[in-house]
Amino acid sequence: MPKDIGWKRQFASDTVAAVCPQALRSLQSANEIGFVPSYGEDDEFTVRARKQICQLFGKDESGCSVSFVSSGTVANALAMASACQSFDGVLCHPISHLEHDEANAPEYLTGGAKLLHVDGRDGKIDPNRFFDFLSRGHGYHSARLRMISITQATEVGTIYTLADLRELRRIKNEMESRLKELFNDEEYRLYYHMDGARLANAVAALQCDPSEIVAEVDVLSFGGSKNGAPPTEAIVFFNPALARDFTWRVKQTGQLVSKMRYLSAPWLGMLKDDVWLDNARHANSQARRLGLELQNLGFQLALDVESNMIFVRFGQAEADALQLLGWDFYPFQLHDGTAYRFVCNWSTTDQAVDDLLADVKTIVRK
């Protein structure tokens, strides 16, 4: 990548990166094949991509349904809408993407479902706080608890370990049992959603099978855009009941695109030979290196580097000086103050990290 084309912008987000070559070649092949059925009915790309995503999570298509959409926001909002009615409540972390970065899209597409905050350290929900909601409100005068949504990896780059997820599932299932009694409804379900915009980074960090992370998840928003794909995300249903009539929801929100192969084909390139996982491993590795070198220069990290994001404690003057040198990054309000976020991506090079560190060193010398 030429240094004169946004070189110092690349740590702002993993979405500023280009499309990786494997996804781009697969996209190009979709353009060269000729004429194929519309609206996701093509066997050549969309049907194959759906099948491969199901297989990635250890499922066949009888227990897994996949839809492709163009953004993480609409993936999350449609996932909420598949399970929630206007009077329902969704338990999520207060710094989740659902809450902070989706312009009320979940509330809009559900017709008014309420996002209810469940706090916890380092961007992760503390599932023991679920029980606080059992005494919230007065029956049908308040929102009915309907869904739990977690983000993996979180918005601050931390990761739910497999032990964390087991404990969350245990408490979620206990909550569901108690709510069945409270509502006097044996058919009641407390659904489980995972915002996996950076799921690849979590799988790479945990070095586990993808199926272990999504155990008991009802619906997953599986991110492509942040991991080297063009604008394409996959909504993956592991609960077939929630996928019923879902195509109508997708159509109603303008996401049932006629040339669906252009959303699905890149996934074939990403999934082949575990490119999706290699991309995430690379981003995570560069983030660890950057974090370590910043510490060696005397800067404190606000959080451990667990995925592809670094949160560093710069003073305001230091942050201003680095931005004046052209680097693009963002302040982020954490529970204990402000930190500055840097994000590595599939294409982050050693040279890019070196150049950033060289400019940081000039600030230190001042």
Side-chain angles (χ1 to χ4, degrees):
M1 179 186 297
K3 284 192 179 183
D4 60 342
I5 304 178
W7 182 254
K8 292 189 174 182
R9 186 179 298 127
Q10 64 180 288
F11 293 99
S13 172
D14 32 18
T15 58
V16 303
V19 175
C20 73
Q22 298 89 340
L24 192 59
R25 283 196 296 269
S26 191
L27 183 62
Q28 184 66 26
S29 70
N31 199 52
E32 295 172 348
I33 195 171
F35 304 96
V36 300
S38 304
Y39 300 106
E41 296 181 8
D42 58 289
D43 292 333
E44 295 86 350
F45 299 99
T46 308
V47 173
R48 283 174 58 208
R50 286 173 180 149
K51 183 176 182 179
Q52 288 185 23
I53 288 173
C54 291
Q55 291 172 340
L56 180 70
F57 296 107
K59 306 286 186 180
D60 60 35
E61 291 175 276
S62 65
C64 177
S65 175
V66 179
S67 294
F68 299 103
V69 294
S70 62
S71 78
T73 291
V74 77
N76 286 338
L78 279 169
M80 304 293 107
S82 72
C84 298
Q85 299 187 63
S86 58
F87 50 81
D88 284 330
V90 177
L91 300 175
C92 64
H93 197 278
I95 62 170
S96 65
H97 201 272
L98 290 179
E99 174 60 31
H100 265 262
D101 293 287
E102 298 189 357
N104 295 352
E107 294 94 326
Y108 179 68
L109 290 191
T110 58
K114 188 176 182 66
L115 300 183
L116 302 168
H117 294 172
V118 184
D119 211 343
R121 287 189 59 81
D122 302 337
K124 297 193 290 187
I125 281 176
D126 176 358
N128 288 294
R129 299 188 182 190
F130 291 160
F131 297 117
D132 297 342
F133 289 87
L134 290 173
S135 57
R136 180 187 181 278
H138 303 91
Y140 51 74
H141 296 283
S142 299
R144 179 182 65 175
L145 301 181
R146 193 55 160 172
M147 179 173 272
I148 292 166
S149 178
I150 71 167
T151 310
Q152 177 75 319
T154 72
E155 290 301 301
V156 292
T158 53
I159 290 173
Y160 290 88
T161 66
L162 295 181
D164 290 337
L165 295 173
R166 283 193 295 270
E167 180 66 2
L168 187 144
R169 294 194 301 267
R170 183 189 69 79
I171 294 175
K172 176 260 179 191
N173 290 335
E174 183 178 343
M175 272 285 289
E176 183 176 79
S177 295
R178 292 171 69 172
L179 288 166
K180 282 181 178 180
E181 294 180 11
L182 186 66
F183 298 146
N184 191 27
D185 181 3
E186 280 302 312
E187 300 300 315
Y188 167 82
R189 285 291 311 276
L190 180 62
Y191 295 112
Y192 177 19
H193 167 254
M194 183 174 287
D195 178 353
R198 296 185 176 93
L199 186 77
N201 301 94
V203 174
L206 294 175
Q207 301 180 52
C208 65
D209 190 272
S211 63
E212 295 180 87
I213 285 187
V214 300
E216 297 185 34
V217 167
D218 291 293
V219 56
L220 166 72
S221 304
F222 187 18
S225 302
K226 288 180 167 64
N227 194 35
T232 178
E233 314 287 310
I235 305 173
V236 187
F237 288 98
F238 302 112
N239 181 339
L242 294 185
R244 190 176 303 126
D245 299 332
F246 190 68
T247 303
W248 275 271
R249 293 189 186 278
V250 175
K251 177 63 177 180
Q252 193 176 57
T253 53
Q255 291 293 315
L256 189 66
V257 298
S258 57
K259 296 183 178 181
M260 185 66 73
R261 64 188 182 277
Y262 293 109
L263 293 185
S264 59
W267 286 94
L268 297 175
M270 296 282 289
L271 293 171
K272 185 178 180 181
D273 299 325
D274 282 342
V275 168
W276 72 286
L277 200 51
D278 288 341
N279 284 355
R281 286 174 180 142
H282 176 80
N284 289 1
S285 176
Q286 294 290 43
R288 287 193 299 270
R289 181 191 166 216
L290 177 57
L292 179 60
E293 294 295 339
L294 288 169
Q295 287 179 302
N296 289 340
L297 291 172
F299 292 102
Q300 178 190 1
L301 299 188
L303 296 161
D304 291 338
V305 179
E306 297 181 5
S307 60
N308 67 322
M309 288 185 273
I310 307 99
F311 291 82
V312 61
R313 301 286 193 190
F314 286 146
Q316 187 64 57
E318 294 162 332
D320 290 345
L322 196 57
Q323 287 176 330
L324 282 172
L325 291 172
W327 293 100
D328 198 358
F329 56 93
Y330 296 104
F332 204 99
Q333 190 63 40
L334 301 172
H335 69 281
D336 58 351
T338 300
Y340 292 88
R341 188 189 79 163
F342 294 80
V343 187
C344 295
N345 62 72
W346 72 270
S347 64
T348 302
T349 62
D350 289 339
Q351 186 65 58
V353 175
D354 289 342
D355 287 355
L356 173 59
L357 290 169
D359 278 352
V360 173
K361 288 175 185 176
T362 67
I363 293 169
V364 173
R365 286 196 292 270
K366 291 179 182 178

